[in-house]
Amino acid sequence: GGGLLVAGGMSSLGRGEYYDSPLDPALPVDTDIRKRLLFTRARLLFIVDSSGSMGQTVGQSPKQLAAMRAVAAALGQLNPQDEVGILSFDSQPHWVWRFAPAADGSEAIEALSSMPEGGGTDLAAGVLEALRAFGPPGPTKRHAILMSDGLSSDFDPVDLAGRLKEAGVTLSAVAIGDEVNDEVMRELAEGSGGYYHRAELDAVPLIASEEAASLSRDLVVEGTIPLSVADGSDLGASIAAGAPPVGGYLLVRARPTATVHLEAARLPRSGGTDGGAETGGVDPVLVEWRYGSGKAAVFASDSGGRWLSSWSGSAQYNRLWAALVRRLERPSANEGLSARAYVEGSWTRVVAEARDASGRLVGGLRLSGRTSDGLPFELAETAPGLYEGRTPVSEGLRTYRIAAEGESGPQAEAWAYAHPGAESPERGRDDETLARLARESGGTVLDPASPALPAAWPGFHKTGTRAALTVIALAAFLLELFRRSALNGRLGRASAAIRAWGRERGERAEALETPLSRQDLEFRRRDGG
């Protein structure tokens, strides 16, 4: 009764040989590359370093022996109509086996014994000889597998990779051994449109086999590819609305009873013999079916590292995986109560719905919830039978258990996933960045326990001028008022009044100090004064 969701990728589905695993019967798609989903005539050249450095022993085997085993293993993955060649190089290139049909693979393997050993290393000379052998571009797919440690005389790998790309030749580089020149090998491979592999000796044959298999049975489609909704798919419509194109996907075929939700327009290819299926039409990208008591789905693009990178962090990315998981997950065991959780900003909104046995909404319940972190929260009835609550967001996957009051009350569980944010409180303090900011600016990091400021150094520093200019303007305003009052005579009149008042007070004081005459004394005595 559960669900199974499988995402694509460079090592998934047909590329990962899922057809040969117990997983295959549960998948709603056919991934068997042996059925030759697409035929592409190919010309493959092995460029093998035979210089002195490749004769060194790593573990129990020389590096050159590992490369020769890889060539032998890869020949068995080619179609009979493919062409294969083997070119070795030391200080100059040497042809071991010129291009011939892969059906003659046994003779090519025997020719490996004639490969020279020792000498200097001129990797560029070997690659340039390969370019001459491939000739002008054409409809045949052209690919080279370089097996070397990359230790060579100096050359410009970027320029050489550009010449390969211009000639329509992709090159994958397999770096062998403990001491290798990663930079040169990687720039050659990625600059020409190939892949770079860093391998131990025992893994080299497997890598060469995968490269050969992907060449003649090309299960990867890459480019700027918009997705379309399959007829009648509500799920596909909810996912693809406003979604950007994907960068690629793996070729699969929907099985007869499966339901296709998303499709991609098939890119034109050359050399196909699959009954005209390579011209026009669509390829399934999202396919679902019922398997046993549950459901299984395949999303033929990846989960975001390469082909779905333009979706990562967007609403479409969240909607894709949320819709798929909810479609495939096991139904709730309690039919009376269901719940869903939605991440909205810094909060998670939990919505629960209660129904009775007849399907009618049930109101009046008292519901409470608890997060997987043990944080409780309450739910309020916002509509008949609909209950909502909020709790702070926690990054990552969190579950929310909802229960009605009472031991026998209905219960439900919801989940939500919040992308980790750079400013999430759960990440804590970024001491490394703080220390770098302080160091780059000539400052220091203070201890929160004792944040004592360092001693200030004398010198000039910038400061705001708004406050100082405001004080100056106010002083100038008061000075102007004073000046205008003085010019209008008010200050002079005030000064004269003050002087007159002073004279009057002085005269009165002087009068009090003058001696009294006898007549005045007699007069005052009679009056009882």
Side-chain angles (χ1 to χ4, degrees), residues 394-482:
S394 295
E395 68 179 38
L397 182 66
R398 293 292 184 274
T399 57
Y400 304 88
R401 189 168 185 81
I402 314 302
E405 190 176 44
E407 295 182 0
S408 59
Q411 297 182 356
E413 194 172 81
W415 60 269
Y417 180 82
H419 280 284
E423 299 181 6
S424 170
E426 296 184 6
R427 290 180 175 265
R429 194 175 59 209
D430 189 355
D431 290 329
E432 182 180 352
T433 300
L434 293 175
R436 182 180 177 187
L437 285 172
R439 183 174 63 255
E440 296 287 343
S441 62
T444 184
V445 177
L446 303 180
D447 183 3
S450 56
L453 294 174
W457 289 88
F460 294 98
H461 65 278
K462 294 181 179 179
T463 184
T465 58
R466 178 176 295 179
L469 292 175
T470 301
V471 171
I472 293 173
L474 180 60
F477 174 70
L478 295 175
L479 181 62
E480 177 66 14
L481 289 178
F482 178 81

Side-chain angles (χ1 to χ4, degrees), residues 477-491:
F477 174 70
L478 295 175
L479 181 62
E480 177 66 14
L481 289 178
F482 178 81
R483 184 184 66 80
R484 292 187 179 186
S485 297
L487 291 176
N488 290 336
R490 295 175 184 174
L491 184 62

Side-chain angles (χ1 to χ4, degrees), residues 330-400:
R330 186 192 306 270
S332 173
N334 300 293
E335 298 294 339
L337 187 65
S338 61
R340 289 287 184 265
Y342 307 92
V343 176
E344 299 176 347
S346 59
W347 294 90
T348 301
R349 183 168 62 95
V350 182
V351 180
E353 188 177 72
R355 293 181 179 271
D356 59 18
S358 62
R360 290 178 298 183
L361 293 169
V362 178
L365 298 180
R366 297 187 62 183
L367 301 182
S368 61
R370 186 173 293 274
T371 70
S372 53
D373 299 326
L375 181 67
F377 61 95
E378 297 296 327
L379 289 91
E381 188 171 5
T382 57
L386 191 68
Y387 304 83
E388 297 188 28
R390 292 201 313 167
T391 183
V393 161
S394 295
E395 68 179 38
L397 182 66
R398 293 292 184 274
T399 57
Y400 304 88

Side-chain angles (χ1 to χ4, degrees), residues 138-312:
T140 302
K141 190 164 187 177
R142 298 125 60 82
H143 186 63
I145 301 177
L146 170 65
M147 289 177 281
S148 172
D149 52 18
L151 303 176
S152 169
S153 55
D154 290 340
F155 69 97
D156 186 352
V158 176
D159 177 70
L160 191 54
R163 297 178 65 176
L164 285 166
K165 191 170 185 178
E166 184 178 355
V169 177
T170 56
L171 180 145
S172 289
V174 184
I176 304 176
D178 297 329
E179 296 183 6
V180 299
N181 190 333
D182 283 287
E183 183 178 358
V184 166
M185 299 285 278
R186 184 184 298 277
E187 288 179 345
L188 266 178
E190 296 181 352
S192 66
Y195 297 98
Y196 171 69
H197 306 276
R198 180 75 169 85
E200 299 297 332
L201 297 188
D202 55 355
V204 175
L206 177 61
I207 293 172
S209 297
E210 291 178 347
E211 285 283 337
S214 65
L215 177 69
S216 61
R217 304 157 194 156
D218 191 358
L219 297 179
V220 177
V221 179
E222 292 188 308
T224 303
I225 305 166
L227 298 181
S228 59
V229 181
D231 292 342
S233 173
D234 294 336
L235 176 63
S238 67
I239 294 173
V246 297
Y249 60 92
L250 291 175
L251 284 171
V252 293
R253 278 185 176 150
R255 286 178 169 161
T257 59
T259 301
V260 178
H261 295 291
L262 293 176
E263 299 171 326
R266 185 174 296 140
L267 299 178
R269 299 170 184 273
S270 59
T273 60
D274 196 18
E278 296 182 6
T279 57
V282 293
D283 292 322
V285 176
L286 176 58
V287 188
E288 175 206 3
W289 74 350
R290 180 167 291 280
Y291 184 78
S293 299
K295 296 179 181 179
V298 166
F299 183 64
S301 190
D302 63 8
S303 59
R306 182 184 179 98
W307 299 327
L308 210 63
S309 58
S310 61
W311 291 42
S312 294

